[in-house]
Amino acid sequence: MRIVITDCDHETIEEELDVAAAHGVEVVQARCRSEDEVIEAARDADGILVQYAPVTDRVLEALPRLRAIGRYGVGVDTVDVDAATARRVAVSNVPDYGTEDVSDHAVALALALVRGVVQLDRGVRAGEHALTPVKPLHRVKELVFGVVGMGRIGAATAVKARALGFTVIGCDPHVPPRTEAEEGIEAVEFDALLERADVVSLHVPLDASTHHLVDDAALSRTKEGAVLVNTCRGGVVDTAAVVRALRSGRLKGAALDVFEEEPLPLDSPLVGLPNTVLTPHAAWYSEESYSELKRRTIENVVDVCAGRTPRNILNPEVLS
C-alpha cells in the first residue's frame, strides 16, 4: 500500500510514519500546490493525504488507482467530493478533532473584543492609559452571543459562552429554525440573530450557500456596535465588506482567525485597523488536537485501502 502526502505544512510527519509502520504502509511526502503537481506525485498512490492542494475531477481522472483521500481537517472544500464519489474514491476528514480547541479560541477572541483586551494592551505599550478607545464596555451577562452554525464546534462554543454569562442564541443556515437547539440554546433565523447579537461567532462550513454569508447586506442588518468572530473559513466573510463596517463603526470590532487569502498579506487593510484581533489560522491547534488530526487522517485512508470502514467518511456509498 502506498500513500502520498500531497502537501502538509506541519513540522514533522512522525505521527503518520508511526501509523504507516504499524500497518506496513509506504508513505511519501510531496509539496504540491497545483493540479499537475498532485497528479505527478500521486500517480501510483493507493491513497493521498491532502491539506490545501486541489483534488479536482481532472486530478481524479488522472489517478485511476486512487482509492482514498484523507483531508487534514474538517472542511473538504479543496476536494471535489462529487467527482470522487462518481469514481468510487472514498473521502474522509476528521470532523471532531479540534472541537474543544476551536470553541476555546472563539470564546477567547470574543472576550478579547468584548473587554477591549487587545486595544488596551496596545495603548499601554504606547504609553496611553485611557479607556476612551474601548468605550463603551458592558458586562458579559448583559450581552447576547450569537452562534451561526450549530454543528459540533458551534454547539461547544454556545455552551462555553453561556457558562460565562452570555445570553446565547443560535442559527444554522443548513437547518430549519427550531424553538430550541439540543444544547438548550434558543434557535432563531439568521436575520434575527444579526439584529439581536452583540457577538456574532461564525461556525459554518464553506460551500456555495455560505460563501460571503457575511456581506454588506448582512452587516447592514447587524446590531450597531456588535463584534464579529470568525474561526471557520475565510470565504464565509466578505473581507471588503467587513473592513467597511469596521471603518464606519457599524462593527465595533472583528476577531478573525481565517482569511480569504492565507497567509494574510501584510498590506491587507485588516492589519492597519485598530479594532481587529488577528490570529494565523491557529484556532484548531493544541498539542492534543495536532496529534489526533495527523493520526486519524492517515488511519482513515489506511482503513479504506485495507478494505475496512474508516471512522470518518463523507461518501460511504463508495464502499458498498
Side-chain angles (χ1 to χ4, degrees), residues 191-203:
D191 285 353
L193 184 145
L194 295 178
E195 292 168 2
R196 291 175 55 188
D198 299 286
V199 178
V200 177
S201 189
L202 304 175
H203 303 279

Side-chain angles (χ1 to χ4, degrees), residues 107-267:
V107 171
L109 291 176
L111 286 175
L113 291 175
V114 166
R115 293 300 306 166
V117 173
V118 175
Q119 281 183 272
L120 291 171
D121 173 80
R122 291 170 182 160
V124 170
R125 294 173 189 275
E128 301 170 1
H129 302 276
L131 296 176
T132 305
V134 298
K135 283 186 174 181
L137 297 183
H138 296 283
R139 290 175 176 170
V140 163
K141 73 174 185 177
E142 303 297 328
L143 302 179
V144 175
F145 194 110
V147 177
V148 181
M150 289 296 292
R152 293 180 181 88
I153 296 173
T157 302
V159 169
K160 292 172 183 179
R162 185 175 58 183
L164 290 170
F166 286 99
T167 297
V168 183
I169 59 177
C171 75
D172 198 316
H174 294 99
V175 178
R178 298 165 292 173
T179 302
E180 189 176 274
E182 291 180 8
E183 297 74 25
I185 305 302
E186 180 188 356
V188 299
E189 294 189 0
F190 183 51
D191 285 353
L193 184 145
L194 295 178
E195 292 168 2
R196 291 175 55 188
D198 299 286
V199 178
V200 177
S201 189
L202 304 175
H203 303 279
V204 295
L206 177 61
D207 57 28
S209 67
T210 61
H211 180 258
H212 283 187
L213 179 68
V214 177
D215 56 8
D216 283 308
L219 290 166
S220 72
R221 300 191 296 274
T222 302
K223 183 176 182 179
E224 189 165 359
V227 300
L228 176 70
V229 176
N230 188 14
T231 54
C232 57
R233 283 289 184 270
V236 173
V237 166
D238 180 342
T239 304
V242 169
V243 169
R244 287 189 286 270
L246 288 167
R247 286 174 171 166
S248 71
R250 184 75 194 184
L251 284 177
K252 183 178 181 180
L256 309 173
D257 182 60
V258 288
F259 309 96
E260 292 191 87
E261 182 181 354
E262 294 184 1
L264 183 69
L266 286 176
D267 61 357

Side-chain angles (χ1 to χ4, degrees), residues 7 38 40 52 55 72 146 247 259 300:
D7 62 308
V38 174
E40 179 62 29
Y52 303 118
V55 183
Y72 284 111
R247 286 174 171 166
F259 309 96
N300 283 332

